[in-house]
């Protein structure tokens, strides 16, 4: 993969995603914009990030990927007004505000893990844009 491919991938991303963490390395989350700058610099970190984008890898371990999803979801949910956001059809039914949902995500409850898994799928789809 070359700088051209990383730049094309970056340009394909929705604007809101360009500054959202998408890859985590050694506990540090990198946004697409940060990845592009590191690849442009030709740094060893840029090479590693480039390989991760190429491979569609969000992190080096499952735990890091879960941490990345939590970071992304925190960023998304903190922008939302504190009013009912979703409702479940479980018995009993439950309505969640962004802060309640974030507590579920942080605690990795069943509801929280569903959101984490969905966010990981979304991030993988974004990385897959580099291979198209």
């Amino acid at each position: 993969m070359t700088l051209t491919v990383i730049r094309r991938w970056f340009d394909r991303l929705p604007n809101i995603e360009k500054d959202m963490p998408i890859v985590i390395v050694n506990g540090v989350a990198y946004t697409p914009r940060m990845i592009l700058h590191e690849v442009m610099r030709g740094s060893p970190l840029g090479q590693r990030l480039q390989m991760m984008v190429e491979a569609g890898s969000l992190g080096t371990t499952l735990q890091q990927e879960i941490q990345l999803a939590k970071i992304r979801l925190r960023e998304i949910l903190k922008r939302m007004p504190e009013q009912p956001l979703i409702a479940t059809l479980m018995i009993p039914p439950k309505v969640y505000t962004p802060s309640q949902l974030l507590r579920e995500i942080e605690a990795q409850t069943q509801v929280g893990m569903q959101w984490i898994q969905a966010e990981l799928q979304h991030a993988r789809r974004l990385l897959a844009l580099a291979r198209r």
Side-chain angles (χ1 to χ4, degrees), residues 13 23 26 51 56 63 68 76 91 102 110:
L13 293 171
V23 172
N26 297 329
M51 287 189 302
Q63 198 58 32
L68 177 69
I76 293 165
I91 299 183
L102 187 55
Q110 182 180 358

Side-chain angles (χ1 to χ4, degrees), residues 76-111:
I76 293 165
L77 292 172
K78 78 178 184 182
R79 297 177 189 157
M80 298 189 167
E82 191 60 24
Q83 59 191 28
L85 178 64
I86 65 161
T88 64
L89 299 177
M90 301 184 312
I91 299 183
K94 182 155 173 125
V95 175
Y96 293 93
T97 64
S99 64
Q100 291 170 324
L101 187 55
L102 187 55
R103 281 195 292 278
E104 296 289 318
I105 291 164
E106 295 291 349
Q108 294 183 223
T109 64
Q110 182 180 358
V111 169

Side-chain angles (χ1 to χ4, degrees), residues 1-2 6 9 22-31 34-62 64-65 127:
M1 196 176 263
T2 65
I6 291 292
W9 166 70
I22 193 151
V23 172
I24 191 164
V25 177
N26 297 329
V28 178
Y30 295 89
T31 67
M34 295 165 76
I35 293 168
L36 176 62
H37 287 298
E38 284 299 322
V39 172
M40 287 171 57
R41 286 183 48 220
S43 69
L45 175 60
Q47 291 173 354
R48 184 167 183 197
L49 292 168
Q50 181 176 329
M51 287 189 302
M52 291 180 77
V53 169
E54 180 179 346
S57 176
L58 302 171
T60 53
T61 66
L62 177 60
Q64 283 186 346
E65 289 184 0
L127 286 180

Side-chain angles (χ1 to χ4, degrees), residues 66-77:
I66 289 172
Q67 187 62 30
L68 177 69
K70 286 180 177 182
I71 292 168
R72 288 179 59 85
L73 289 165
R74 249 184 249 126
E75 288 294 315
I76 293 165
L77 292 172

